[in-house]
Amino acid sequence: MSKIGYILRRLLRMDYGAMLRTARMLHKKTGKATLWLLFDMVRCARKYGAGYVDYKIAEMYRLTPEQRETQITREASNRIVAKMNDKAYWHHFDDKAEFNTLFAGQVRRGWIDLRGATEEALAQWAEGRGDVIGKPMEGSSGNGIVKYKRGELPSLEALRLAGIGLLEDCVRQHEALDALCPTSVNTVRVATLLGDKKQGIVYASLRVGNGNVVDNVDQGGMAAPVALATGVLTAVGADKQGNRYETHPMTGARIPGFGIPYWAETVDMCLRAMHVVPQVRFVAWDVAVTPDGPVLIEGNSFPSHAVPQFAAHYPDGIGILPRFREFIDF
């Protein structure tokens, strides 16, 4: 899709009410005129392919044109995915049962596909199990995920009516991550790229919940960047509302300087996983770190571009796009 075509489609589908609300919110935050912010959003949409959420998250209103060029906007993200990932192979990641089968050695937990299950098969699978997680068979951003306590699993019909297509054993996270936030499994987002220039990890972030059962930033969670060499968090936690957290608001645990357990094993697992479906060259892996090491939660063939571009993580205003250019021509 050409850049002009992409922008025209975005203009037709734009939620202008949400855009205006964003401009008003940024007016209160920055003191800049709402009308100026609206016109600047349009400028950034035309020149950089940025949506109003990109504009807010990257704080583009404070950036120079040179700094704006370095941000990974929605349009830039779409072009990277289109260049690197053959859509014919997305199903290996989009279908959660297929993903669990393909990456069984890295998933390492029990699960059941409810699409062909019977009540008897579900009862047999659930017998003796503890808490389980219910997921839609497809979907993203943590939408539709439900935790069921031991002995409180609904009937197969009720699960299907709720849109649940797959059940999994709950992952028990490492005690260090539990101390950050115990309400969710706090996963490491590790983005790998089989690039034309080089291959490896483009970026990594720790996603941390904030009271919800999931840690996704679209569900109120936060993220902090990870130093690839050490597995240590290098900056504050940040969320999509623009909040910054030196310490976690629920637990008081300090975020910058936190070291992720089993980091070397996490890196090794993701670097091996990126070769399993080589037709999908850009994947964001969600990794849970358990007391026994890392396990895969899922792989994303169309990764969210919000997580690696929070303004709080780029105080010099230089975004992450130059990092992608180390791997691919873009």
Side-chain angles (χ1 to χ4, degrees):
M1 183 189 300
S2 71
K3 185 171 183 177
I4 293 174
Y6 170 81
I7 292 171
L8 288 174
R9 286 172 176 81
R10 288 296 301 160
L11 287 173
L12 288 172
R13 299 172 184 172
M14 183 74 71
D15 185 340
Y16 289 99
M19 183 177 176
L20 178 58
R21 289 192 294 273
T22 299
R24 287 172 173 166
M25 181 274 289
L26 292 177
H27 161 69
K28 292 180 181 178
K29 179 178 179 179
T30 68
K32 295 181 181 293
T34 300
L35 188 59
W36 182 90
L37 288 161
L38 283 170
F39 277 112
D40 197 43
M41 285 182 195
V42 172
R43 279 195 295 268
C44 288
R46 291 176 59 187
K47 188 167 184 180
Y48 310 108
Y52 62 86
V53 176
D54 300 334
Y55 187 87
K56 176 183 71 171
I57 288 174
E59 296 181 0
M60 295 183 79
Y61 51 81
R62 68 178 178 89
L63 302 181
T64 66
E66 293 76 20
Q67 291 169 326
R68 288 175 171 184
E69 290 278 2
T70 69
Q71 307 303 313
I72 181 168
T73 62
R74 179 188 290 269
E75 187 266 339
S77 175
N78 288 355
R79 280 198 288 145
I80 292 171
V81 171
K83 176 183 176 70
M84 305 307 297
N85 294 350
D86 186 338
K87 199 168 185 177
Y89 294 85
W90 287 15
H91 62 90
H92 293 299
F93 300 89
D94 295 345
D95 184 298
K96 291 179 171 58
E98 189 171 345
F99 178 86
N100 283 4
T101 300
L102 187 60
F103 293 94
Q106 294 81 31
V107 169
R108 294 195 288 117
R109 60 187 174 277
W111 57 278
I112 182 172
D113 183 346
L114 299 182
R115 289 174 295 191
T118 63
E119 287 283 5
E120 185 177 59
L122 175 60
Q124 185 176 3
W125 180 85
E127 186 176 357
R129 279 190 144 80
D131 299 349
V132 299
I133 293 290
K135 299 179 177 180
M137 192 55 72
E138 297 185 5
S140 60
S141 302
N143 293 314
I145 293 178
V146 182
K147 183 176 182 179
Y148 298 106
K149 297 286 188 181
R150 181 174 184 172
E152 297 179 3
L153 192 64
S155 68
L156 180 60
E157 181 182 3
L159 288 166
R160 287 173 172 164
L161 286 172
I164 301 299
L166 180 133
L167 295 174
E168 293 181 344
D169 288 332
C170 280
V171 172
R172 179 185 165 212
Q173 69 181 341
H174 192 283
E175 61 182 12
L177 290 158
D178 212 41
L180 269 182
C181 178
T183 62
S184 63
V185 174
N186 307 302
T187 57
V188 191
R189 168 66 61 92
V190 180
T192 58
L193 191 54
L194 289 166
D196 303 315
K197 295 180 180 179
K198 68 177 184 179
Q199 303 175 357
I201 297 174
V202 187
Y203 66 84
S205 301
L206 179 65
R207 305 187 307 171
V208 183
N210 198 2
N212 207 331
V213 71
V214 293
D215 60 357
N216 302 69
V217 297
D218 288 316
Q219 303 294 331
M222 65 188 77
V226 180
L228 298 183
T230 63
V232 173
L233 303 189
T234 60
V236 298
D239 63 22
K240 291 188 79 169
Q241 288 68 49
N243 300 309
R244 305 178 184 210
Y245 304 94
E246 285 276 350
T247 59
H248 196 283
M250 292 176 58
T251 63
R254 182 167 173 78
I255 295 171
F258 176 86
I260 297 171
Y262 290 108
W263 177 246
E265 291 83 355
T266 297
V267 167
D268 180 66
M269 181 177 71
C270 293
L271 291 178
R272 284 185 286 109
M274 74 177 181
H275 293 284
V276 174
V277 187
Q279 298 84 357
V280 181
R281 300 162 65 191
F282 175 40
V283 179
W285 309 94
D286 292 337
V287 179
V289 183
T290 77
D292 301 315
V295 297
L296 285 179
I297 298 298
E298 64 182 17
N300 301 275
S301 58
F302 202 123
S304 166
H305 63 288
V307 171
Q309 72 159 10
F310 288 126
H313 303 150
Y314 301 94
D316 61 359
I318 304 300
I320 198 170
L321 209 51
R323 174 67 176 162
F324 278 88
R325 291 194 173 106
E326 295 176 19
F327 290 76
I328 57 175
D329 289 319
F330 177 73

